[in-house]
Amino acid sequence: MAEILVVDDSKVMREMLIACLRGQDDLAFAQASSGLEAIEQLSLRPFDLVLLDLNMPDIGGIEVVEFIRSQDRLRSVPIIIVTTRGDETSRERALSAGATRYLTKPFTPEVIQSEVAAALGHAAPRS
Amino acid sequence: MPTGVDLQEFVSGFLLEAEEHLHAVNRNLVAATEALARGRPEPRAVRELFRSLHTIKGLASMVGAEPIAELSHEMEGILRAADRAGGQVSERALDLLLQGTRALEERIHAISQRGIAAIPAAPRSLIDALALEQSAHARPGGGGAIELELPDELARNLAAADREQLAQAVESGRRAVVVEFQPSPERAARGLNIAAVRSRLAAIGELVKVVPRASTSAPTGIAFGLVLVTDADDAVLAEAVDSTPAAILPIRATRARAARAPEVIATDAEREPTSGPGAEPGAEPGIDPVPMDHSIRVDVRRLDDALERLSELVVTRFKLARIAGELGARGVDVRELTQTLAEHARQLKRLRAAITEARMIPLADLLQRLPLVVRGLTRDTHKSVDVSIHTGTAEVDKAVADRIFPAILHLVRNAVDHAIEPREERRRTGKPETGSLRIDCDDSSGTSLLLTVRDDGRGIDREAVARKLGEPVARSDDELLQQITRPGLSTREDVTRSSGRGMGMDIVRRVVEMLGGAMSLQTAAGQGTTFRLRVPVSVTIVDVFSFAAGDQVFVAPVAMVDEILEIEPSRLVEAPAPQRDGPVARLVQRRGTSIPLLTLTGVLGSAVIGSVPPKALVVQQDRGAIAFGVDRMLGQQEVVVRPLDDALVRVPGVTGATDLGDGRPTLVLDLLTLGATVLQAKAGGA
């Protein structure tokens, strides 16, 4: 069982993401509606994968990635950015900050499914 | 792999969220407009505008609402530029954002009415203007560099807009602080997480930024620094983060500007020295309840569902009462039962009131965007209008709100376009240059609202109205109201930008009458016009089929209709014992069984028409299905049902009357009761 933290300030968007992935075997989901909540949840217990929006209140997704990558304990968790920002600058900033993959909205269910499967396959198994 | 995911299922969720964000957009546009008038940027409003539009854009692209995604994308571009400039927005940019917001609202509305396919394209000229404004706005820099004394990890995370917000606050004498919150499993278990802390602090100050950081003293190795402008003292702040005043660090800010000597504004002199370093964070149990926003969003249809369930309960209660009556008639002592039933009835009534109340929205929320509308209307004109809205705490049912808002909007547009004079003309006639438009609401009656829209403009020109209609000049305001609400009348030959579209005064009156309300007019040449609209606080809205039977039009609730049956003459069976005067003329075959086919004209007492109706509405009764013959189905719509108050016209099977928009009453039929009445009569007669 892999546990995914879905981070987006839009409830509908979180629901869409989870709906796209729900059919997959052995996935469990937790949600966070801001980058701060995401960091808090990650500090309290481990996750296998983070799906992360970029534009959120208080701190944006790139700051969240930078922070996660600066923490020894969290450094290896895969992070897939799921964002409406399609520009190259945002993509480069996110990837150089340490995001694993960068997806833009709108996405199709197939794309998100294969990205998640790939990210979980590459991730080190959780102890 | 088959995905089986249809993102179209999320359209209604998208609409709900988009509406909420548009609400925030309107609120923040007002704040940004006021900030522009004051000459001080409002970086926070700009940020929130950006975020709302960005979320709308992302969701719209997911559900395939391209024009909305495109519009919000261009609007977002302007706001990104403004954010980089420390929250400065030009008047031109605000106007474009305002137009963009209207265009978004129209499209959201179109989706909710007619589905995602019906969405109009984004207006080209507006898209181009928005794009142009972005490049025009690409100049950085706000009001001078701001020096902030902060730990590095905090300082590098603050954007220009954050710095501006901090500098403004300390310049106006408020405190800027960083408060540290350390999350822990134990605190999380008590519900004290970052989201809760955030809303606690937002309640006692302005939150500028929250930054996560590594902390060796924190239980999880991670802490949050919440940067805040506040008037609260350290003890209150410390309590909010479940810590001691040691968790609070003041911020000094200086603005380096040639015209002003750098000055240190905030000092840490007021810092409490009493905090012992030994105080263990999170040691004190039993914290206060977390102050949070207690509102949730509910699709109004769910509340309608709840009301529907409630009506079922009411039916059951009537059955119980009838049984109690029968028992009583047989000599059983039912006093206690009767008392309990009476108590039950009161409880049902209170439950109904509670659900109805959940549908209420504050009138202030409904009308908050009117100042923006007026601003849009007076742009490029020689008019100034001061809008004041006095609604107090009045609330109104969502169903009434949706219907009455366009009417108020029309009155406001009329006032700005036609009634209030240009500045020059007002000055000549000795009036203040700025016109006044005032909206009041009196909800003291409890069951109805009295809305007043009053302007100090030139008054309605009776002669012009009369000329236009080719009728005598109205002798009273009432007569004048009748004249101006005649369909199609416009007192102006040259159609102005905004009066050319939208609805006329006839529609305003129609809306008010549909709601079962009333309106009145008072106007004086050169002094102004006042419209008074009295509307009920809540109404019953029902989704109905409308149809013609005989030469009459009726409506019946969709929920009651099991099926609309096409009648093939071959499926008709003459009733075994035809009743000459009775309504049951025939039986019709449906899924292998024969069900009675009634004609409505027969049921309602007129003569039975011999011809075979082409269609029938089938309702499912306890004792089987019944079909009601229909000559023509006219459509499906939501209507406001007005109860029939007059006992003389009360007929079993008729719930009330409604207005389908033609100004004439149409009967709302309760087909279940109608059917039951007929079958009972038949059983009794047999």
Side-chain angles (χ1 to χ4, degrees), chain A residues 9-13 15-16 19 24 36-37 39-40 43-44 55-59 63 67 71 73 84 106-107 110 113, chain B residues 1 3 5 10 13 17 50-51 54 57-59 61-62 157 183 185 193-195 198 209-210 212-213 220 222 224:
Chain A
D9 56 330
S10 160
K11 178 164 170 274
V12 179
M13 191 61 81
E15 286 169 355
M16 282 194 214
Q24 314 278 83
L36 298 173
E37 285 175 39
I39 288 173
E40 181 175 50
S43 79
L44 294 174
N55 270 278
M56 288 180 294
D58 296 326
I59 71 170
E63 286 171 82
F67 182 77
Q71 304 299 305
R73 215 150 48 78
T84 314
F107 52 81
E110 293 77 10
Q113 285 160 7
Chain B
M1 165 187 356
T3 59
V5 181
F10 292 91
E17 245 181 58
F50 178 85
R51 271 209 328 104
H54 190 81
K57 172 173 116 181
L59 290 172
S61 72
M62 288 301 298
N157 281 303
N193 52 31
I194 182 64
R198 194 189 178 284
K209 178 78 184 170
V210 188
R213 57 187 179 200
T220 62
I222 288 170
F224 293 99

Short mmCIF file of all heavy atoms in Angstrom, two decimals, chain A residues 9-13 15-16 19 24 36-37 39-40 43-44 55-59 63 67 71 73 84 106-107 110 113, chain B residues 1 3 5 10 13 17 50-51 54 57-59 61-62 157 183 185 193-195 198 209-210 212-213 220 222 224:
data_model
loop_
_atom_site.label_atom_id
_atom_site.label_comp_id
_atom_site.label_asym_id
_atom_site.label_seq_id
_atom_site.Cartn_x
_atom_site.Cartn_y
_atom_site.Cartn_z
N ASP A 9 -5.16 23.79 -3.15
CA ASP A 9 -6.10 24.57 -2.35
C ASP A 9 -7.52 24.43 -2.88
O ASP A 9 -8.47 24.83 -2.22
CB ASP A 9 -5.69 26.05 -2.25
CG ASP A 9 -5.54 26.70 -3.60
OD1 ASP A 9 -5.18 25.99 -4.56
OD2 ASP A 9 -5.75 27.91 -3.71
N SER A 10 -7.70 23.86 -4.05
CA SER A 10 -9.04 23.64 -4.57
C SER A 10 -9.50 22.22 -4.22
O SER A 10 -8.88 21.24 -4.59
CB SER A 10 -9.06 23.83 -6.08
OG SER A 10 -10.19 23.19 -6.63
N LYS A 11 -10.63 22.17 -3.52
CA LYS A 11 -11.16 20.87 -3.11
C LYS A 11 -11.56 20.05 -4.34
O LYS A 11 -11.30 18.86 -4.41
CB LYS A 11 -12.38 21.11 -2.20
CG LYS A 11 -13.07 19.87 -1.73
CD LYS A 11 -14.00 20.22 -0.55
CE LYS A 11 -14.91 19.07 -0.19
NZ LYS A 11 -16.15 19.06 -1.00
N VAL A 12 -12.18 20.71 -5.30
CA VAL A 12 -12.61 20.01 -6.51
C VAL A 12 -11.41 19.41 -7.23
O VAL A 12 -11.45 18.29 -7.72
CB VAL A 12 -13.38 20.95 -7.45
CG1 VAL A 12 -13.80 20.22 -8.71
CG2 VAL A 12 -14.58 21.53 -6.77
N MET A 13 -10.31 20.19 -7.27
CA MET A 13 -9.13 19.68 -7.95
C MET A 13 -8.58 18.46 -7.23
O MET A 13 -8.18 17.48 -7.86
CB MET A 13 -8.07 20.80 -8.04
CG MET A 13 -6.92 20.48 -8.94
SD MET A 13 -7.41 20.19 -10.66
CE MET A 13 -7.56 21.87 -11.27
N GLU A 15 -10.28 16.39 -5.47
CA GLU A 15 -11.21 15.28 -5.75
C GLU A 15 -10.99 14.70 -7.14
O GLU A 15 -11.09 13.50 -7.36
CB GLU A 15 -12.66 15.75 -5.58
CG GLU A 15 -13.03 15.92 -4.11
CD GLU A 15 -14.37 16.63 -3.93
OE1 GLU A 15 -14.97 17.07 -4.93
OE2 GLU A 15 -14.81 16.74 -2.77
N MET A 16 -10.71 15.58 -8.10
CA MET A 16 -10.48 15.11 -9.47
C MET A 16 -9.24 14.22 -9.51
O MET A 16 -9.25 13.15 -10.13
CB MET A 16 -10.26 16.29 -10.41
CG MET A 16 -11.52 17.01 -10.81
SD MET A 16 -11.13 18.08 -12.22
CE MET A 16 -12.19 19.44 -11.92
N ALA A 19 -10.01 10.96 -7.92
CA ALA A 19 -10.91 10.18 -8.78
C ALA A 19 -10.12 9.51 -9.91
O ALA A 19 -10.39 8.38 -10.29
CB ALA A 19 -12.01 11.07 -9.34
N GLN A 24 -6.65 2.54 -9.16
CA GLN A 24 -5.36 1.85 -9.04
C GLN A 24 -5.33 1.01 -7.76
O GLN A 24 -5.88 1.40 -6.75
CB GLN A 24 -4.22 2.87 -8.97
CG GLN A 24 -4.31 3.97 -9.98
CD GLN A 24 -3.79 3.57 -11.33
OE1 GLN A 24 -4.50 2.95 -12.10
NE2 GLN A 24 -2.56 3.92 -11.62
N LEU A 36 1.52 24.74 3.60
CA LEU A 36 1.86 24.64 5.02
C LEU A 36 1.33 23.33 5.60
O LEU A 36 2.04 22.63 6.32
CB LEU A 36 1.25 25.82 5.79
CG LEU A 36 1.73 27.19 5.38
CD1 LEU A 36 0.94 28.27 6.11
CD2 LEU A 36 3.22 27.33 5.68
N GLU A 37 0.07 23.02 5.27
CA GLU A 37 -0.50 21.78 5.78
C GLU A 37 0.28 20.58 5.26
O GLU A 37 0.46 19.58 5.96
CB GLU A 37 -1.97 21.66 5.38
CG GLU A 37 -2.89 22.56 6.17
CD GLU A 37 -4.32 22.50 5.66
OE1 GLU A 37 -4.78 21.40 5.30
OE2 GLU A 37 -4.96 23.55 5.60
N ILE A 39 3.49 20.47 4.49
CA ILE A 39 4.75 20.34 5.23
C ILE A 39 4.49 19.77 6.62
O ILE A 39 5.21 18.90 7.11
CB ILE A 39 5.46 21.71 5.31
CG1 ILE A 39 6.02 22.06 3.93
CG2 ILE A 39 6.56 21.70 6.36
CD1 ILE A 39 6.59 23.44 3.83
N GLU A 40 3.42 20.25 7.23
CA GLU A 40 3.09 19.74 8.57
C GLU A 40 2.82 18.24 8.53
O GLU A 40 3.36 17.48 9.34
CB GLU A 40 1.87 20.48 9.12
CG GLU A 40 1.50 20.02 10.52
CD GLU A 40 0.38 20.85 11.11
OE1 GLU A 40 -0.65 21.02 10.43
OE2 GLU A 40 0.53 21.32 12.23
N SER A 43 5.89 16.32 8.09
CA SER A 43 6.76 16.30 9.27
C SER A 43 6.23 15.32 10.32
O SER A 43 6.97 14.85 11.16
CB SER A 43 6.90 17.70 9.86
OG SER A 43 5.76 18.02 10.64
N LEU A 44 4.93 15.02 10.25
CA LEU A 44 4.34 14.16 11.26
C LEU A 44 4.42 12.67 10.89
O LEU A 44 4.49 11.83 11.76
CB LEU A 44 2.88 14.55 11.52
CG LEU A 44 2.67 15.94 12.16
CD1 LEU A 44 1.20 16.29 12.23
CD2 LEU A 44 3.28 15.99 13.56
N ASN A 55 0.34 27.14 -7.14
CA ASN A 55 -0.21 28.38 -6.59
C ASN A 55 -1.10 28.10 -5.40
O ASN A 55 -2.19 27.56 -5.56
CB ASN A 55 -1.02 29.11 -7.65
CG ASN A 55 -0.14 30.05 -8.43
OD1 ASN A 55 0.12 31.16 -7.98
ND2 ASN A 55 0.35 29.58 -9.55
N MET A 56 -0.64 28.45 -4.24
CA MET A 56 -1.43 28.23 -3.04
C MET A 56 -1.21 29.39 -2.08
O MET A 56 -0.22 30.12 -2.22
CB MET A 56 -1.03 26.91 -2.39
CG MET A 56 -1.50 25.70 -3.18
SD MET A 56 -1.02 24.17 -2.40
CE MET A 56 0.74 24.25 -2.56
N PRO A 57 -2.11 29.56 -1.14
CA PRO A 57 -1.93 30.67 -0.19
C PRO A 57 -0.69 30.46 0.68
O PRO A 57 -0.24 29.33 0.85
CB PRO A 57 -3.20 30.63 0.65
CG PRO A 57 -3.78 29.28 0.45
CD PRO A 57 -3.35 28.83 -0.90
N ASP A 58 -0.19 31.55 1.22
CA ASP A 58 0.94 31.58 2.15
C ASP A 58 2.27 31.18 1.51
O ASP A 58 3.16 32.00 1.40
CB ASP A 58 0.71 30.71 3.39
CG ASP A 58 -0.45 31.21 4.22
OD1 ASP A 58 -0.62 32.44 4.26
OD2 ASP A 58 -1.17 30.39 4.77
N ILE A 59 2.39 29.91 1.14
CA ILE A 59 3.63 29.57 0.44
C ILE A 59 3.30 28.75 -0.79
O ILE A 59 2.41 27.91 -0.76
CB ILE A 59 4.66 28.84 1.33
CG1 ILE A 59 4.23 27.43 1.65
CG2 ILE A 59 4.97 29.61 2.59
CD1 ILE A 59 5.35 26.64 2.29
N GLU A 63 8.28 26.78 -3.14
CA GLU A 63 8.84 26.93 -1.79
C GLU A 63 8.70 25.62 -1.00
O GLU A 63 9.59 25.26 -0.22
CB GLU A 63 8.13 28.05 -1.03
CG GLU A 63 8.51 29.44 -1.51
CD GLU A 63 7.62 30.49 -0.87
OE1 GLU A 63 7.88 30.88 0.26
OE2 GLU A 63 6.63 30.90 -1.52
N PHE A 67 11.76 23.52 0.50
CA PHE A 67 11.83 23.20 1.91
C PHE A 67 11.99 21.70 2.15
O PHE A 67 12.83 21.26 2.93
CB PHE A 67 10.61 23.74 2.66
CG PHE A 67 10.69 23.47 4.13
CD1 PHE A 67 11.51 24.24 4.94
CD2 PHE A 67 10.00 22.41 4.71
CE1 PHE A 67 11.63 23.97 6.29
CE2 PHE A 67 10.12 22.14 6.05
CZ PHE A 67 10.94 22.92 6.85
N GLN A 71 15.32 19.25 3.96
CA GLN A 71 15.20 18.46 5.19
C GLN A 71 15.68 17.03 4.95
O GLN A 71 15.14 16.34 4.08
CB GLN A 71 13.73 18.43 5.65
CG GLN A 71 13.11 19.79 5.85
CD GLN A 71 13.84 20.59 6.92
OE1 GLN A 71 14.00 20.12 8.05
NE2 GLN A 71 14.31 21.77 6.55
N ARG A 73 15.18 14.30 6.42
CA ARG A 73 14.20 13.24 6.58
C ARG A 73 13.27 13.13 5.35
O ARG A 73 12.68 12.10 5.10
CB ARG A 73 13.37 13.54 7.82
CG ARG A 73 12.91 12.35 8.60
CD ARG A 73 12.76 12.69 10.07
NE ARG A 73 12.01 13.94 10.30
CZ ARG A 73 10.68 14.04 10.23
NH1 ARG A 73 9.96 13.01 9.90
NH2 ARG A 73 10.08 15.18 10.47
N THR A 84 -1.28 24.58 -13.26
CA THR A 84 -1.81 25.25 -14.43
C THR A 84 -0.71 26.07 -15.13
O THR A 84 -0.87 26.49 -16.25
CB THR A 84 -2.96 26.19 -14.02
OG1 THR A 84 -3.80 25.47 -13.13
CG2 THR A 84 -3.79 26.62 -15.21
N PRO A 106 -4.69 21.30 -18.11
CA PRO A 106 -5.46 20.10 -17.83
C PRO A 106 -4.67 18.83 -18.14
O PRO A 106 -3.92 18.81 -19.11
CB PRO A 106 -6.65 20.22 -18.79
CG PRO A 106 -6.16 21.07 -19.92
CD PRO A 106 -5.14 21.99 -19.33
N PHE A 107 -4.86 17.82 -17.30
CA PHE A 107 -4.22 16.53 -17.53
C PHE A 107 -5.32 15.51 -17.79
O PHE A 107 -6.47 15.74 -17.44
CB PHE A 107 -3.39 16.10 -16.32
CG PHE A 107 -4.16 16.16 -15.04
CD1 PHE A 107 -5.03 15.12 -14.68
CD2 PHE A 107 -4.05 17.25 -14.19
CE1 PHE A 107 -5.74 15.17 -13.51
CE2 PHE A 107 -4.80 17.31 -13.01
CZ PHE A 107 -5.64 16.27 -12.67
N GLU A 110 -5.24 9.23 -17.77
CA GLU A 110 -4.19 8.29 -18.14
C GLU A 110 -2.81 8.85 -17.79
O GLU A 110 -1.94 8.14 -17.29
CB GLU A 110 -4.24 7.98 -19.64
CG GLU A 110 -5.47 7.21 -20.09
CD GLU A 110 -6.73 8.07 -20.19
OE1 GLU A 110 -6.62 9.32 -20.10
OE2 GLU A 110 -7.83 7.52 -20.36
N GLN A 113 -2.18 8.78 -14.09
CA GLN A 113 -2.00 7.39 -13.63
C GLN A 113 -0.61 6.87 -13.95
O GLN A 113 0.06 6.27 -13.11
CB GLN A 113 -3.06 6.48 -14.27
CG GLN A 113 -4.43 6.66 -13.66
CD GLN A 113 -5.55 6.15 -14.56
OE1 GLN A 113 -5.29 5.55 -15.60
NE2 GLN A 113 -6.78 6.41 -14.17
N MET B 1 -5.43 0.68 -19.96
CA MET B 1 -6.34 0.46 -18.81
C MET B 1 -7.56 1.37 -18.93
O MET B 1 -7.42 2.58 -19.16
CB MET B 1 -5.53 0.77 -17.54
CG MET B 1 -6.35 0.94 -16.32
SD MET B 1 -5.34 1.51 -14.93
CE MET B 1 -3.68 1.52 -15.55
N THR B 3 -10.13 3.89 -17.79
CA THR B 3 -10.04 4.78 -16.63
C THR B 3 -11.37 4.96 -15.94
O THR B 3 -11.44 5.03 -14.73
CB THR B 3 -9.54 6.16 -17.07
OG1 THR B 3 -10.47 6.67 -18.03
CG2 THR B 3 -8.17 6.07 -17.68
N VAL B 5 -13.08 7.46 -15.66
CA VAL B 5 -13.20 8.73 -14.95
C VAL B 5 -13.76 9.76 -15.91
O VAL B 5 -13.21 9.97 -16.98
CB VAL B 5 -11.81 9.21 -14.45
CG1 VAL B 5 -11.96 10.51 -13.70
CG2 VAL B 5 -11.18 8.15 -13.58
N PHE B 10 -17.41 16.71 -12.45
CA PHE B 10 -16.96 17.72 -11.51
C PHE B 10 -17.42 19.12 -11.87
O PHE B 10 -17.03 20.09 -11.25
CB PHE B 10 -15.43 17.67 -11.39
CG PHE B 10 -14.95 16.41 -10.74
CD1 PHE B 10 -14.64 15.30 -11.49
CD2 PHE B 10 -14.85 16.33 -9.36
CE1 PHE B 10 -14.21 14.13 -10.89
CE2 PHE B 10 -14.43 15.17 -8.74
CZ PHE B 10 -14.12 14.07 -9.50
N GLY B 13 -19.17 20.87 -9.04
CA GLY B 13 -18.19 21.27 -8.03
C GLY B 13 -17.39 22.47 -8.51
O GLY B 13 -17.11 23.40 -7.74
N GLU B 17 -17.16 26.18 -6.64
CA GLU B 17 -15.90 26.80 -6.25
C GLU B 17 -15.66 28.09 -7.02
O GLU B 17 -15.18 29.08 -6.48
CB GLU B 17 -14.73 25.83 -6.46
CG GLU B 17 -14.09 25.45 -5.14
CD GLU B 17 -12.91 24.50 -5.28
OE1 GLU B 17 -11.95 24.85 -5.98
OE2 GLU B 17 -12.97 23.41 -4.68
N PHE B 50 -5.18 37.30 -7.60
CA PHE B 50 -4.38 36.42 -8.45
C PHE B 50 -4.72 34.96 -8.16
O PHE B 50 -4.96 34.17 -9.06
CB PHE B 50 -2.88 36.67 -8.21
CG PHE B 50 -1.99 35.77 -9.01
CD1 PHE B 50 -1.64 36.09 -10.30
CD2 PHE B 50 -1.53 34.58 -8.47
CE1 PHE B 50 -0.84 35.25 -11.06
CE2 PHE B 50 -0.74 33.72 -9.21
CZ PHE B 50 -0.39 34.06 -10.51
N ARG B 51 -4.73 34.63 -6.88
CA ARG B 51 -4.96 33.24 -6.52
C ARG B 51 -6.32 32.74 -6.96
O ARG B 51 -6.48 31.66 -7.48
CB ARG B 51 -4.79 33.04 -5.02
CG ARG B 51 -3.36 32.73 -4.63
CD ARG B 51 -3.30 31.89 -3.39
NE ARG B 51 -4.38 32.15 -2.46
CZ ARG B 51 -5.42 31.36 -2.29
NH1 ARG B 51 -5.51 30.25 -2.96
NH2 ARG B 51 -6.34 31.69 -1.42
N HIS B 54 -6.37 32.25 -10.61
CA HIS B 54 -5.54 31.12 -10.99
C HIS B 54 -6.28 29.80 -10.75
O HIS B 54 -6.23 28.88 -11.56
CB HIS B 54 -4.23 31.15 -10.22
CG HIS B 54 -3.23 30.16 -10.73
ND1 HIS B 54 -2.46 30.41 -11.84
CD2 HIS B 54 -2.91 28.93 -10.32
CE1 HIS B 54 -1.69 29.36 -12.08
NE2 HIS B 54 -1.95 28.43 -11.16
N LYS B 57 -8.94 29.35 -13.31
CA LYS B 57 -8.33 28.96 -14.57
C LYS B 57 -8.02 27.47 -14.60
O LYS B 57 -8.37 26.76 -15.56
CB LYS B 57 -7.03 29.77 -14.78
CG LYS B 57 -6.19 29.32 -15.96
CD LYS B 57 -5.03 30.27 -16.20
CE LYS B 57 -3.70 29.59 -15.99
NZ LYS B 57 -2.57 30.51 -16.20
N GLY B 58 -7.39 26.97 -13.55
CA GLY B 58 -7.01 25.55 -13.50
C GLY B 58 -8.22 24.65 -13.58
O GLY B 58 -8.25 23.69 -14.34
N LEU B 59 -9.24 24.97 -12.78
CA LEU B 59 -10.44 24.13 -12.77
C LEU B 59 -11.14 24.19 -14.11
O LEU B 59 -11.60 23.18 -14.65
CB LEU B 59 -11.38 24.58 -11.66
CG LEU B 59 -10.90 24.31 -10.23
CD1 LEU B 59 -11.83 24.99 -9.23
CD2 LEU B 59 -10.86 22.81 -9.96
N SER B 61 -9.93 24.72 -17.00
CA SER B 61 -9.24 23.96 -18.04
C SER B 61 -9.50 22.46 -17.88
O SER B 61 -9.58 21.73 -18.84
CB SER B 61 -7.74 24.27 -18.02
OG SER B 61 -7.15 23.69 -16.89
N MET B 62 -9.66 22.02 -16.63
CA MET B 62 -9.91 20.60 -16.40
C MET B 62 -11.29 20.17 -16.90
O MET B 62 -11.45 19.07 -17.41
CB MET B 62 -9.80 20.26 -14.91
CG MET B 62 -8.41 20.28 -14.35
SD MET B 62 -7.28 19.13 -15.14
CE MET B 62 -8.03 17.56 -14.78
N ASN B 157 12.32 34.84 1.86
CA ASN B 157 11.04 34.32 1.40
C ASN B 157 9.95 35.39 1.25
O ASN B 157 8.82 35.07 0.92
CB ASN B 157 10.54 33.24 2.35
CG ASN B 157 11.24 31.92 2.10
OD1 ASN B 157 11.21 31.40 0.99
ND2 ASN B 157 11.93 31.42 3.10
N PRO B 183 4.73 22.29 15.17
CA PRO B 183 3.75 21.22 15.12
C PRO B 183 4.27 19.98 15.86
O PRO B 183 5.48 19.79 15.97
CB PRO B 183 3.60 20.92 13.62
CG PRO B 183 4.82 21.46 12.97
CD PRO B 183 5.39 22.53 13.86
N PRO B 185 2.76 15.69 17.01
CA PRO B 185 1.64 14.74 16.94
C PRO B 185 0.63 15.02 18.04
O PRO B 185 -0.58 14.95 17.82
CB PRO B 185 2.32 13.38 17.17
CG PRO B 185 3.75 13.58 16.78
CD PRO B 185 4.06 15.00 17.11
N ASN B 193 -3.30 22.31 14.53
CA ASN B 193 -2.36 22.15 13.42
C ASN B 193 -2.11 23.50 12.79
O ASN B 193 -2.66 24.52 13.24
CB ASN B 193 -2.91 21.15 12.40
CG ASN B 193 -4.31 21.51 11.98
OD1 ASN B 193 -4.66 22.69 11.95
ND2 ASN B 193 -5.13 20.51 11.68
N ILE B 194 -1.30 23.52 11.76
CA ILE B 194 -0.92 24.81 11.17
C ILE B 194 -2.14 25.56 10.63
O ILE B 194 -2.22 26.79 10.72
CB ILE B 194 0.19 24.65 10.11
CG1 ILE B 194 0.62 26.00 9.53
CG2 ILE B 194 -0.23 23.72 8.98
CD1 ILE B 194 1.26 26.94 10.51
N ALA B 195 -3.12 24.79 10.09
CA ALA B 195 -4.31 25.46 9.55
C ALA B 195 -5.07 26.17 10.68
O ALA B 195 -5.54 27.30 10.53
CB ALA B 195 -5.21 24.45 8.85
N ARG B 198 -3.07 29.15 11.90
CA ARG B 198 -3.17 30.19 10.89
C ARG B 198 -4.47 30.98 11.06
O ARG B 198 -4.48 32.20 11.03
CB ARG B 198 -3.12 29.54 9.51
CG ARG B 198 -2.89 30.51 8.41
CD ARG B 198 -3.07 29.85 7.05
NE ARG B 198 -2.88 30.85 6.04
CZ ARG B 198 -3.77 31.77 5.75
NH1 ARG B 198 -4.91 31.81 6.40
NH2 ARG B 198 -3.52 32.68 4.82
N LYS B 209 2.77 36.38 5.80
CA LYS B 209 3.50 35.28 5.18
C LYS B 209 3.73 34.20 6.22
O LYS B 209 3.86 34.51 7.40
CB LYS B 209 4.85 35.83 4.67
CG LYS B 209 5.77 34.82 4.04
CD LYS B 209 5.34 34.50 2.64
CE LYS B 209 6.21 33.41 2.03
NZ LYS B 209 5.66 32.92 0.77
N VAL B 210 3.76 32.97 5.79
CA VAL B 210 4.13 31.88 6.70
C VAL B 210 5.29 31.13 6.05
O VAL B 210 5.23 30.80 4.87
CB VAL B 210 2.96 30.91 6.96
CG1 VAL B 210 3.34 29.93 8.06
CG2 VAL B 210 1.71 31.68 7.33
N PRO B 212 8.08 27.90 6.48
CA PRO B 212 8.53 26.73 7.24
C PRO B 212 10.04 26.82 7.45
O PRO B 212 10.75 27.38 6.63
CB PRO B 212 8.18 25.57 6.30
CG PRO B 212 8.25 26.17 4.93
CD PRO B 212 7.90 27.63 5.05
N ARG B 213 10.53 26.28 8.56
CA ARG B 213 11.98 26.26 8.76
C ARG B 213 12.37 25.09 9.64
O ARG B 213 11.56 24.60 10.43
CB ARG B 213 12.47 27.58 9.34
CG ARG B 213 11.80 27.95 10.65
CD ARG B 213 12.23 29.35 11.04
NE ARG B 213 11.60 29.75 12.30
CZ ARG B 213 11.48 31.00 12.67
NH1 ARG B 213 11.91 31.97 11.90
NH2 ARG B 213 10.92 31.30 13.82
N THR B 220 9.23 17.85 15.81
CA THR B 220 9.38 17.13 14.55
C THR B 220 10.58 17.65 13.76
O THR B 220 10.81 17.24 12.63
CB THR B 220 8.14 17.29 13.66
OG1 THR B 220 8.01 18.68 13.35
CG2 THR B 220 6.89 16.82 14.35
N ILE B 222 10.74 20.58 12.64
CA ILE B 222 10.25 21.60 11.71
C ILE B 222 9.35 22.58 12.47
O ILE B 222 8.58 22.17 13.34
CB ILE B 222 9.46 20.93 10.57
CG1 ILE B 222 10.42 20.20 9.63
CG2 ILE B 222 8.63 21.95 9.80
CD1 ILE B 222 9.74 19.32 8.63
N PHE B 224 7.07 26.57 11.99
CA PHE B 224 6.57 27.56 11.04
C PHE B 224 6.76 28.95 11.64
O PHE B 224 6.43 29.17 12.81
CB PHE B 224 5.09 27.35 10.76
CG PHE B 224 4.80 26.07 10.02
CD1 PHE B 224 4.36 24.95 10.70
CD2 PHE B 224 4.95 26.00 8.65
CE1 PHE B 224 4.09 23.77 10.02
CE2 PHE B 224 4.69 24.83 7.96
CZ PHE B 224 4.26 23.71 8.65
#
